[in-house]
Amino acid sequence: MIPFNKPCTIGNEETAIKEALKFSKLSGNGPFGKKCTDWLENRLACEKALLTPSCTAALEMTALLTELGKGDEVIMPSYTFVSTANAFAIRGAWIRFVDITPDTLNIDPKKIEEAITERTKAIVVVHYAGIACDMDAIMDIAYHYGLWVIEDAAQALLSTYKGKPLGSIGHFGTISFHETKNYTCGEGGALIINDSSAVERAEILQEKGTNRSQFKKGMVDKYTWRDIGSSFLLSDLNAAYLYVQLQHADSINDNRKHSWSKYEEALRTLDPISLPYAPDNCEHNAHMFYIKTKNETERDQLINYLKENDIMAVSHYVPLHTSQAGEKYGRFIGKDNYTTAESSRLLRLPLYYGIGEEAIEHVVNTVHLFYKA
Ligand SMILES: *Cc1c(COP(=O)(O)O)cnc(C)c1O
């Protein structure tokens, strides 16, 4: 069976974990955590990176940092993972879902403007499949209306927009190191802070609302409760695992891109399906290879056919506005031209670090056979 995903392992993770055990400093913001945040700050050229237990937790931190709550509205795509919305719904904010564009499946900037009201405080964009949103248009709108921009870059580490790393363009970016993402430590994430005025408060929120991080830097002689907060920290054991993957990030990226291109070349000529699209100025990280079939019936038939041939292919998001919680915590604004239609015909093919060329050949041959039949 060719699995849909295999969590990335490079080989040296165990050594790094043993080293972390030697430091005997296993809580958050430890020696390996520092190496990871230095790496992120360097690669993303951001003000500050903080490791979090997940991308979900990083998103929750952005809801606290922007002080979003009851009576405030947030605009985001409906075609995304639950955490994008949950992080704001949990604070009492109201979600205004808008449509995506059919080419990248990212939020449509034109639809953002139509959804803005006096209560709108933030735009949360999702770089689907590691392919960038139209950030110039989005930042222009945000600037014009005075809105926060949060990039859910869960899938987008090492992708760029006009040369700028994704996650480093809005006020905040959030990254995931879940095992389904390109670089992982099982469960983990990062908050990317691009607004220097938010750094101090973010460090306090991360440490249960205390100024422990200032204490550790020797800036104060004891630490106390300063603000609301939570335990938004990643254990140094996870950070040790993660650091190995970050050190090999470029070769992991190359390997994935090679596999992605193999799929692209082999399926490009297959008329009945459409393939992912990345705008010219957007370098992506080969997070995902999806195809879009004619309709949902054909998609489900193809998933079954692949399964019969030992290949795991899967659909993706159920549009949030159609879900039970989505109906309770938000509303779709404007017409759903693409969100439901595109999600119902999308399927993702197996893609992970180290998937062999033979596996990819088997997948593309099977897809071709399906359409010949
Ligand atoms: C994976 C993912 C998340 C959640 O990441 P966790 O680290 O599991 O919390 C959030 N948003 C998007 C777009 C994702 O793909």
Side-chain angles (χ1 to χ4, degrees):
M1 194 73 172
I2 301 174
F4 168 67
N5 178 54
K6 265 191 208 169
C8 177
T9 44
I10 281 292
N12 308 334
E13 286 88 351
E14 220 178 298
T15 318
I17 286 179
K18 281 187 184 143
E19 211 177 308
L21 290 171
K22 261 194 275 168
F23 288 141
S24 123
K25 175 72 194 66
L26 303 181
S27 58
N29 289 328
F32 277 103
K34 175 85 170 68
K35 286 176 197 278
C36 291
T37 51
D38 283 351
W39 188 94
L40 287 165
E41 283 162 16
N42 181 34
R43 289 300 287 257
L44 276 81
C46 59
E47 280 291 330
K48 187 83 192 163
L50 300 177
L51 292 185
T52 58
S54 61
C55 179
T56 303
L59 284 162
E60 287 180 18
M61 287 183 78
T62 68
L64 290 168
L65 287 164
T66 54
E67 301 191 300
L68 279 166
K70 232 180 163 45
D72 297 328
E73 293 176 355
V74 188
I75 297 169
M76 65 179 67
S78 171
Y79 188 65
T80 181
F81 188 60
V82 293
S83 297
T84 320
N86 220 339
F88 298 91
I90 208 174
R91 307 295 310 157
W94 179 248
I95 315 295
R96 287 169 74 85
F97 296 112
V98 299
D99 211 4
I100 49 174
T101 60
D103 51 0
T104 57
L105 308 181
N106 284 333
I107 194 164
D108 183 343
K110 288 191 221 77
K111 302 295 156 64
I112 295 175
E113 205 148 9
E114 290 166 18
I116 292 172
T117 73
E118 277 170 12
R119 299 179 152 199
T120 307
K121 295 281 158 58
I123 307 167
V124 189
V125 304
V126 179
H127 303 295
Y128 186 66
I131 294 172
C133 295
D134 184 354
M135 288 312 292
D136 280 350
I138 290 161
M139 295 311 289
D140 279 352
I141 294 168
Y143 185 74
H144 188 255
Y145 292 92
L147 307 176
W148 295 99
V149 175
I150 296 141
E151 297 177 73
D152 182 341
Q155 306 174 8
L157 185 54
L158 289 198
S159 296
T160 59
Y161 170 83
K162 298 189 176 171
K164 288 188 209 137
L166 299 189
S168 76
I169 304 167
H171 300 90
F172 301 103
T174 63
I175 309 268
S176 175
F177 299 118
H178 185 263
E179 70 168 32
T180 50
K181 302 304 199 289
N182 293 21
Y183 317 100
T184 181
C185 56
E187 300 275 0
L191 172 66
I192 305 302
I193 304 168
N194 304 310
D195 173 354
S196 56
S197 67
V199 173
E200 191 181 323
R201 183 149 190 254
E203 289 182 330
I204 288 172
L205 294 177
Q206 186 195 28
E207 286 274 12
K208 302 96 174 170
T210 73
N211 56 343
R212 184 161 185 264
S213 131
Q214 289 176 334
F215 168 73
K216 278 168 68 183
K217 288 178 206 153
M219 290 159 70
V220 289
D221 56 11
K222 62 173 186 287
Y223 68 89
T224 58
W225 188 19
R226 305 300 290 261
D227 198 342
I228 54 168
S230 191
S231 180
F232 289 118
L233 297 149
L234 187 75
S235 153
D236 220 45
L237 284 176
N238 287 59
Y241 194 103
L242 179 62
Y243 186 57
V244 175
Q245 306 227 334
L246 296 181
Q247 280 179 299
H248 292 87
D250 292 310
S251 62
I252 295 170
N253 200 36
D254 289 347
N255 181 279
R256 294 187 75 106
K257 290 189 82 137
H258 181 75
S259 302
W260 197 99
S261 307
K262 288 272 156 205
Y263 274 131
E264 228 259 312
E265 281 158 28
L267 294 172
R268 184 157 55 198
T269 53
L270 194 58
D271 267 349
I273 61 171
S274 44
L275 303 187
Y277 162 78
D280 276 348
N281 46 18
C282 302
E283 184 74 29
H284 71 91
N285 63 355
H287 173 62
M288 189 192 300
F289 195 91
Y290 65 77
I291 64 177
K292 287 187 285 183
T293 60
K294 193 173 72 202
N295 53 36
E296 189 167 8
T297 314
E298 187 178 291
R299 190 265 310 267
D300 294 345
Q301 283 167 350
L302 178 53
I303 289 178
N304 283 333
Y305 186 75
L306 289 164
K307 202 184 235 163
E308 284 161 21
N309 287 279
D310 296 326
I311 298 159
M312 278 298 294
V314 293
S315 58
H316 211 185
Y317 306 131
V318 172
L320 292 184
H321 73 284
T322 67
S323 66
Q324 196 183 322
E327 285 178 0
K328 185 168 171 195
Y329 296 109
R331 185 147 311 141
F332 197 94
I333 307 301
K335 215 166 150 249
D336 174 6
N337 285 322
Y338 299 111
T339 300
T340 301
E342 297 300 293
S343 71
S344 67
R345 64 194 194 98
L346 180 139
L347 81 92
R348 297 176 291 158
L349 297 175
L351 178 61
Y352 45 87
Y353 174 69
I355 187 175
E357 294 204 359
E358 256 173 55
I360 292 173
E361 261 166 46
H362 180 52
V363 176
V364 297
N365 290 341
T366 310
V367 174
H368 277 281
L369 273 174
F370 174 82
Y371 282 101
K372 261 191 210 117

